[in-house]
Amino acid sequence: MSTRRYRRHPHARTTPSRSLRPGQPASVHDNLVLEPRDVHFDWSQLPLHWIPDEPMATHTINVLHLLLPEGERWFVKVFKEALPLIRDDQLREEVLGFIGQEAIHAEAHQEVLDHLLGQGLDPRPYVRQITWLFRRVLGDKPGLTSRQHRENVIERVAFIAAIEHFTAFLGNWALNSPGLDRAKADPTMVDLLRWHGAEEVEHRSVAYDLMRHLDPGYLRRVRGMAVSGPLLIHLWIRGTRFMLAADPSLNGSLVPTWREAQKAAKRGLLPEPARFLRSALRYFSPSYHPTKEGSSSQALAYLAKSPAARAAATH
């Protein structure tokens, strides 16, 4: 049985409420406390196509498991490097809570990769490329001066802020995707997607607020999205093609197309590409803030009923 218990990350702490301006009413988001939930999942019964008879939709979502373990470990590393640059105690506590949640997310998705390997689908060739991207291309640059290192950290925080916009979008979609239930998708995988999605909505402002704290300018934000947005789309398309080609039950017979993705989106099995792109454009608005994306109340409501989160709360 493939089961792992996730320990609380050593840097994880709860976060206090955000300070309010005089006369500003409190909201659910203002009073959030970021808590790394010690979840675990049993993948022993997960079928290869966990959305029955929908291999393309299954593997399009499975790209999350290819990207997130190494990507979220990179988030954690960058945010640890950013901690000494933070001059606001409250924001520092929020960043620590974010680090704790992201560390657990990485391990949860890693378990799925291990399970896929046991089913004859070897994700390692693609994962090695993702590891190279995050550790070598986006990793530490030796020989930098103190000032150059600071700029490099802030630039990577801006990349993460843009990526977190998309993870919040995907999390909001997962929380509002009855198509997965209608298609009788595996309930454990659906819980993973919605638990993770709810926490992405819950902490959706942290990376953006950290970026603005370190650099309040507009140019950094635009550059972060200009780099991260196209890269993420490229990696997702390549990942979907890889998963379908590596699936031993398909023998290379299924090639992903935009038309098939649109059909799956209309059935509620994938996010609609047009909504994804419109979401990216909102990030460029001067008045943008992540609290306008998704609902903290909805995220907390799911976390209160998630089987994995509820089990974690009892231990």
Side-chain angles (χ1 to χ4, degrees):
M1 181 170 63
S2 178
T3 304
R4 176 178 291 177
R5 295 297 307 278
Y6 301 105
R7 295 194 179 100
R8 183 180 295 272
H9 192 271
H11 290 281
R13 304 179 191 173
T14 55
T15 61
S17 307
R18 284 187 171 277
S19 300
L20 300 177
R21 297 187 298 272
Q24 179 185 5
S27 70
V28 171
H29 184 80
D30 293 320
N31 294 308
L32 283 181
V33 174
L34 293 183
E35 175 188 358
R37 297 167 180 88
D38 190 22
V39 299
H40 67 281
F41 299 91
D42 178 8
W43 301 116
S44 60
Q45 303 302 315
L46 182 73
L48 185 58
H49 301 151
W50 52 265
I51 306 177
D53 303 316
E54 295 282 355
M56 200 199 82
T58 294
H59 287 317
T60 300
I61 297 176
N62 276 345
V63 176
L64 284 169
H65 313 307
L66 297 176
L67 299 177
L68 291 180
E70 198 61 40
E72 293 187 303
R73 292 177 190 126
W74 177 69
F75 289 5
V76 168
K77 188 175 187 304
V78 172
F79 273 41
K80 284 182 180 179
E81 292 184 53
L83 282 172
L85 307 179
I86 300 174
R87 303 175 305 279
D88 180 278
D89 290 341
Q90 182 176 306
L91 178 60
R92 181 179 293 106
E93 291 297 319
E94 294 177 350
V95 168
L96 289 167
F98 177 96
I99 286 172
Q101 289 189 340
E102 294 293 279
I104 294 174
H105 295 172
E107 295 305 313
H109 288 277
Q110 181 65 51
E111 283 287 335
V112 182
L113 288 183
D114 297 341
H115 177 75
L116 290 174
L117 182 60
Q119 289 186 312
L121 195 163
D122 187 355
R124 291 175 296 184
Y126 190 86
V127 171
R128 282 195 291 268
Q129 297 176 32
I130 298 302
T131 300
W132 176 82
L133 171 67
F134 284 112
R135 295 188 186 182
R136 298 294 297 274
V137 179
L138 297 173
D140 292 334
K141 304 298 181 186
L144 298 181
T145 65
S146 176
R147 182 175 179 177
Q148 289 171 333
H149 176 72
R150 184 181 189 278
E151 281 299 303
N152 180 259
V153 170
I154 298 173
E155 193 76 357
R156 287 183 287 162
V157 167
F159 295 160
I160 293 172
I163 295 170
E164 282 288 297
H165 170 80
F166 291 120
T167 58
F169 170 85
L170 294 171
N172 188 47
W173 173 80
L175 291 170
N176 295 279
S177 54
L180 293 176
D181 303 293
R182 288 195 298 266
K184 301 187 185 307
D186 180 82
T188 302
M189 180 61 76
V190 172
D191 186 37
L192 167 68
L193 295 175
R194 290 177 177 160
W195 156 76
H196 186 172
E199 289 199 349
E200 291 298 328
V201 172
E202 183 185 33
H203 70 221
R204 65 195 183 278
S205 298
V206 176
Y208 183 85
D209 289 345
L210 176 59
M211 175 189 67
R212 294 298 305 274
H213 175 73
L214 299 176
D215 182 354
Y218 181 71
L219 179 60
R220 183 93 65 175
R221 186 214 305 188
V222 171
R223 190 162 60 235
M225 178 58 78
V227 172
S228 298
L231 177 62
L232 185 62
I233 292 171
H234 172 71
L235 291 176
W236 211 295
I237 292 171
R238 287 189 64 246
T240 302
R241 289 173 176 166
F242 170 84
M243 292 294 282
L244 289 170
D247 186 327
S249 70
L250 298 176
N251 295 316
S253 62
L254 186 57
V255 178
T257 64
W258 284 110
R259 176 175 291 184
E260 290 302 315
Q262 286 280 14
K263 288 180 180 178
K266 288 181 180 179
R267 297 195 298 276
L269 303 178
L270 296 175
E272 294 180 17
R275 290 185 61 192
F276 182 87
L277 293 175
R278 287 197 299 270
S279 170
L281 292 177
R282 288 197 295 272
Y283 193 81
F284 293 99
S285 169
S287 63
Y288 169 85
H289 193 268
T291 49
K292 299 178 181 180
E293 306 285 332
S295 165
S296 297
S297 296
Q298 184 184 38
L300 292 175
Y302 184 77
L303 290 168
K305 68 179 184 180
S306 158
R310 290 184 66 182
T314 63
H315 290 83

